[in-house]
Amino acid sequence: MNLNMMSGRKQRVMMVPAPAQGHVKPLMLLAHKLAQHGFRITFVYTQLDLNQITRAMDETRIGSSDVNNIELVSIPDGLGPQEERSMINKTKSIVEYLPVEIEKLIASISSTTSESNDKISCVVFDAFLGISVDVATKMGIQGVLFSPSSAAALVHAMNIQNLICDGVIDSKYGTSTQKQMIQLLPGMPGIDTSCLLWKLDELDSQQLLFQLYLNIEQALKSAQWCLCNTTHDLESVALHSSSSFLPIGPLMENKNHSTPSTILGSQFWAEDTSCLTWLDQHEAGSVIYVAFGSLTVHNEKQFHEIARGLELTGKPFLWVVRLGYISSNNEQEKGFDPYELLGKNSNVGKIVSWAPQEKVLSHPSIACFITHCGWNSTLECLSIGNGIPFLCWPYFADQFLNKDYICNVWKIGMGFIADENGIVTSDEIKSKVDKLLNDVDIRRRSLSFKEMAMKSIAKNGHSSTNLNNFITWLEAL
């Protein structure tokens, strides 16, 4: 599938994200930037992911007139038609089958193109698929890593062997041998071993995630570049830990508000743009924005506490409730309709299944952001929001590390405290919203971070210069 006619004669670059929303979007943002410089992009999804993304594009009825040089292709995910496509199953399968399928795809492209610059000259792999870098090397093609997470998360991957050798974690699951605080680099915040990035409740799933981080560690040793969606100002200590780290962020959409989205091929769900009109009806700094990303799951009890907490604040709210966000083991509860909770307060709150987040965060009516602290959401709020402070509710993996930076390093947000049953109560939600919105220092610091982020991607900014250097390197291949 072509997003537009191929044009120009620069090299062809293949880009391979991990199969998840938070990994696809930032790499597609980079793909668009390279395409704007004339490179021809072959962007690789699994077949089911491409089907879902194509449906989302059709539903939003967006034309492709602003997109050049990007071709969307797919490979099998290795799962049978009857197998459950949970994130764990997809990840297991893609780790096993991806190297073979990528090699096949590169060979197929090479065999059907006669001109040398129609062949793949470089493959940009998601860092979590670092195991496949050797495929490109074996075929005489440059392999580059792209990190959809923070540079600090990469530092954790780089130190796994040290942690094993020091007896801090075991070598099979990455489980901590005792609860303690560790500091990986001077100048980086310490981390509790109960919150290591690969820590999960289910041990087999943790082993898989731990292996992915081990793969990152190995891939970083051989990759000439690891492109990082971050800025020098945000993570100077972590970025200085490796000469291969190249900060090119924050990667952002085009500032074109005339269409629902300008980055085609990046969304797994169609965006409900009616929320933008709804936001237009509210005063500046009055709306609470609630969004927990593409993987967070809350049970119905927690959902009701959130709803009650938002009601107690007395403020309007915009809440993203995607399909699959509410978990339930009760068959009678699986038909639960979140919209029913709004009831008589339907003019106060609005629920959408997916939002054009960058446009929401840049809207003047947003007062604060209740978030899972995914890296994409963190960067978007930092760089686009008008001094929007964070209320942090991490779910798993690097989100706890991101929360630590938001609350303790950058000091532009606060975290929730769960009760003895693991529930964040409605009273806790109201209390933290009130406290956050009355803290003028947090908003002042948030605005300063926005200025730094915008400076980094301005002409001659640190990130812009790095991206231009990478483009020059690509052109010389």
Side-chain angles (χ1 to χ4, degrees):
M1 172 184 174
N2 286 317
L3 290 187
N4 206 330
M5 296 296 292
M6 293 294 180
S7 63
R9 302 308 303 166
K10 283 191 179 180
Q11 294 93 326
R12 186 189 295 268
V13 178
M14 179 178 285
M15 309 186 87
V16 190
Q21 172 69 69
H23 294 250
V24 168
K25 182 177 180 181
L27 194 57
M28 181 57 84
L29 288 167
L30 176 58
H32 278 246
K33 288 189 177 297
L34 296 183
Q36 288 165 6
H37 282 83
F39 292 97
R40 287 163 299 150
I41 308 299
T42 298
F43 202 89
V44 184
Y45 308 86
T46 65
Q47 183 58 61
L48 284 179
D49 285 351
L50 179 55
N51 291 345
Q52 182 174 348
I53 284 171
T54 302
R55 286 195 299 271
M57 289 164 60
D58 289 342
E59 289 172 22
T60 51
R61 298 180 180 177
I62 307 170
S64 58
S65 58
D66 294 333
V67 184
N68 295 289
N69 300 343
I70 300 179
E71 178 186 21
L72 310 185
V73 301
S74 66
I75 56 175
D77 61 12
L79 293 171
Q82 303 305 317
E83 292 183 79
E84 180 188 3
R85 279 170 167 78
S86 64
M87 183 51 61
I88 293 300
N89 283 350
K90 286 171 66 177
T91 304
K92 282 181 181 178
S93 185
I94 206 71
V95 167
E96 179 179 354
Y97 287 97
L98 181 76
V100 175
E101 295 297 336
I102 289 296
E103 185 170 352
K104 285 182 188 175
L105 182 57
I106 292 174
S108 174
I109 291 172
S110 297
S111 66
T112 56
T113 58
S114 56
E115 297 186 35
S116 60
N117 65 349
D118 275 338
K119 301 180 187 297
I120 304 295
S121 63
C122 177
V123 185
V124 181
F125 290 100
D126 188 307
F128 284 86
L129 304 177
I131 191 173
S132 297
V133 170
D134 289 342
V135 172
T137 304
K138 181 178 71 174
M139 303 181 77
I141 298 171
Q142 290 285 350
V144 170
L145 295 181
F146 171 82
S147 175
S149 304
S150 66
L154 294 175
V155 171
H156 282 71
M158 291 167 59
N159 279 275
I160 287 177
Q161 292 300 334
N162 292 335
L163 294 175
I164 293 173
C165 291
D166 292 343
V168 177
I169 60 174
D170 68 60
S171 60
K172 184 176 182 180
Y173 298 104
T175 301
S176 58
T177 55
Q178 61 179 317
K179 183 176 171 59
Q180 60 180 305
M181 292 294 293
I182 57 174
Q183 187 177 34
L184 299 179
L185 287 176
M188 277 185 63
I191 185 170
D192 194 307
T193 52
S194 64
C195 295
L196 291 169
L197 275 61
W198 45 86
K199 177 72 171 66
L200 296 174
D201 292 335
E202 204 276 312
L203 207 54
D204 287 343
S205 299
Q206 178 175 311
Q207 184 181 23
L208 175 61
L209 185 56
F210 182 56
Q211 186 59 52
L212 291 180
Y213 276 99
L214 278 169
N215 292 342
I216 293 175
E217 182 186 29
Q218 291 303 311
L220 285 170
K221 293 176 181 178
S222 58
Q224 180 170 350
W225 299 108
C226 181
L227 308 175
C228 301
N229 187 20
T230 188
T231 75
H232 183 270
D233 291 321
L234 286 178
E235 299 190 271
S236 60
V237 173
L239 287 166
H240 282 137
S241 65
S242 172
S243 59
S244 69
F245 291 173
L246 196 69
I248 58 170
L251 295 167
M252 295 166 55
E253 293 182 10
N254 235 332
K255 284 295 185 180
N256 177 5
H257 290 262
S258 64
T259 60
S261 174
T262 55
I263 302 299
L264 300 184
S266 67
Q267 298 293 344
F268 279 59
W269 297 278
E271 297 171 338
D272 185 343
T273 57
S274 68
C275 63
L276 300 177
T277 304
W278 183 85
L279 287 172
D280 289 341
Q281 301 167 11
H282 291 84
E283 295 178 359
S286 66
V287 177
I288 302 169
Y289 177 49
V290 188
F292 295 108
S294 61
L295 295 175
T296 300
V297 175
H298 286 151
N299 60 35
E300 189 176 338
K301 177 175 176 53
Q302 182 63 84
F303 187 93
H304 278 273
E305 288 293 327
I306 297 171
R308 174 62 177 158
L310 292 173
E311 182 182 12
L312 288 174
T313 67
K315 294 185 175 297
F317 60 87
L318 172 62
W319 189 359
V320 178
V321 181
R322 67 167 208 287
L323 183 66
Y325 163 65
I326 306 166
S327 69
S328 176
N329 295 321
N330 187 326
E331 286 296 328
Q332 292 182 339
E333 293 176 351
K334 288 184 179 178
F336 172 66
D337 182 2
Y339 291 88
E340 291 180 359
L341 283 180
L342 295 181
K344 59 181 173 40
N345 292 324
S346 58
N347 292 327
V348 175
K350 183 173 179 64
I351 290 178
V352 295
S353 59
W354 200 248
Q357 183 158 286
E358 291 196 18
K359 292 180 174 60
V360 169
L361 289 171
S362 65
H363 199 285
S365 70
I366 299 298
C368 66
F369 184 19
I370 299 180
T371 172
H372 65 306
C373 303
W375 187 244
N376 289 326
S377 292
T378 299
L379 270 188
E380 287 167 359
C381 189
L382 270 174
S383 55
I384 297 170
N386 300 301
I388 298 172
F390 293 77
L391 277 170
C392 300
W393 195 331
Y395 181 59
F396 80 131
D398 65 320
Q399 296 163 10
F400 292 94
L401 178 64
N402 299 340
K403 176 200 171 185
D404 194 32
Y405 271 86
I406 291 168
C407 297
N408 303 324
V409 179
W410 305 327
K411 298 181 180 180
I412 53 175
M414 299 177 182
F416 291 111
I417 299 175
D419 66 12
E420 64 276 9
N421 298 313
I423 296 293
V424 176
T425 66
S426 56
D427 288 338
E428 167 70 0
I429 292 169
K430 180 191 184 309
S431 172
K432 284 293 167 62
V433 168
D434 289 345
K435 186 177 181 180
L436 184 78
L437 295 184
N438 285 313
D439 192 321
V440 294
D441 289 334
I442 281 183
R443 182 171 290 277
R444 175 181 52 78
R445 284 191 292 269
S446 295
L447 281 169
S448 70
F449 274 101
K450 176 180 180 177
E451 291 171 5
M452 285 189 293
M454 292 299 96
K455 184 179 178 181
S456 71
I457 58 174
K459 185 177 180 181
N460 299 322
H462 195 275
S463 290
S464 293
T465 300
N466 288 339
L467 181 58
N468 289 334
N469 289 341
F470 175 68
I471 288 170
T472 299
W473 177 81
L474 276 180
E475 290 171 338
L477 292 180

